[in-house]
Amino acid sequence: KNEVEQSPQNLTAQEGEFITINCSYSVGISALHWLQQHPGGGIVSLFMLSSGKKKHGRLIATINIQEKHSSLHITASHPRDSAVYICAVSQVTSGSRLTFGEGTQLTVNP
Amino acid sequence: EPEVTQTPSHQVTQMGQEVILRCVPISNHLYFYWYRQILGQKVEFLVSFYNNEISEKSEIFDDQFSVERPDGSNFTLKIRSTKLEDSAMYFCASSEAPRVGQYFGPGTRLLVL
């Protein structure tokens, strides 16, 4: 079983829709990261969370430590949001290395 | 905005050859990382580096791999004798401190023939 599980694997939305991507983890963490991977392969860090909620523009990330679950929400989605969204965790037992989920491929159609 | 850079962007090599992948981390960062992503798979941790030594490595990071910070700016990953299964995208990352946000480079796509 993967330590970090994401759902859905693939998500197709129409422009303007509200999008939710979920991440569950099975290990003790010091932080959870949401990352965006562009079609060319580059990775951009979106959020790092250890509790509560963070917002940046149209992106919102939440984490529930008790339930070992995080969500990434995109409001008013746009075709330029199309990318792979990756959840990764810093485990309590393994220093600063990141353990990655499989990613969610998001496609937003105009 | 400061960024992590990597060279080359693409490298094609023959099996058994040595390759060196180069990274220039963000200048005030002290923690450096290499990750790899085999096509169609998730990103995997290879190694972390701090204070001129390896602080952590994964089971993937065997004797064929080494890392070095040869000067004040570059951080390199060397694969001594490449195998077909080393074909992947290799990402360098850096951070100011442990357990904070990591900044990723654009990656080097390595193809071993």
Side-chain angles (χ1 to χ4, degrees):
Chain A
K1 185 182 187 300
N2 289 331
E3 292 156 319
V4 181
E5 299 269 3
Q6 285 185 237
S7 63
Q9 273 190 306
N10 294 283
L11 181 55
T12 300
Q14 287 301 121
E15 185 172 355
E17 285 183 2
F18 181 82
I19 285 158
T20 297
I21 299 170
N22 296 297
C23 175
S24 297
Y25 52 92
S26 56
V27 293
I29 69 167
S30 54
L32 184 140
H33 305 251
W34 281 102
L35 307 151
Q36 182 190 54
Q37 185 167 30
H38 299 295
I43 294 175
V44 174
S45 182
L46 299 174
F47 295 104
M48 189 181 77
L49 293 162
S50 53
S51 64
K53 177 178 171 178
K54 285 191 176 179
K55 185 174 191 290
H56 181 68
R58 294 180 295 106
L59 301 178
I60 303 165
T62 64
I63 188 167
N64 184 318
I65 297 293
Q66 286 73 32
E67 293 185 6
K68 294 190 171 181
H69 181 269
S70 175
S71 294
L72 176 69
H73 305 286
I74 305 175
T75 60
S77 59
H78 191 275
R80 65 174 174 265
D81 297 326
S82 298
V84 176
Y85 292 84
I86 303 172
C87 173
V89 300
S90 306
Q91 295 186 42
V92 169
T93 56
S94 56
S96 51
R97 68 193 285 182
L98 295 181
T99 302
F100 291 76
E102 304 274 353
T104 295
Q105 173 70 62
L106 172 66
T107 303
V108 182
N109 293 318
Chain B
E1 188 177 324
E3 58 183 19
V4 177
T5 59
Q6 290 186 242
T7 55
S9 57
H10 294 77
Q11 174 130 19
V12 181
T13 190
Q14 295 290 323
M15 191 169 57
Q17 295 296 304
E18 175 184 285
V19 295
I20 297 176
L21 309 183
R22 291 185 167 79
C23 169
V24 179
I26 293 173
S27 62
N28 63 334
H29 286 186
L30 301 175
Y31 294 79
F32 314 117
Y33 312 86
W34 283 102
Y35 296 90
R36 80 170 186 192
Q37 185 178 33
I38 295 170
L39 188 64
Q41 298 186 21
K42 63 182 179 181
V43 180
E44 301 171 289
F45 169 77
L46 291 177
V47 66
S48 59
F49 190 87
Y50 169 70
N51 201 25
N52 276 321
E53 59 183 34
I54 290 173
S55 44
E56 202 177 355
K57 61 181 181 178
S58 72
E59 55 280 359
I60 303 167
F61 194 88
D62 61 21
D63 292 343
Q64 293 299 310
F65 291 89
S66 62
V67 289
E68 195 178 31
R69 188 155 161 82
D71 52 42
S73 59
N74 288 284
F75 178 51
T76 62
L77 174 70
K78 182 193 290 187
I79 310 174
R80 262 179 271 282
S81 177
T82 49
K83 308 184 189 76
L84 296 177
E85 56 264 35
D86 293 327
S87 296
M89 180 79 104
Y90 288 81
F91 293 101
C92 172
S94 70
S95 64
E96 287 180 309
R99 304 174 189 272
V100 301
Q102 295 178 19
Y103 290 76
F104 285 80
T108 293
R109 192 174 297 278
L110 176 66
L111 178 61
V112 182
L113 300 176

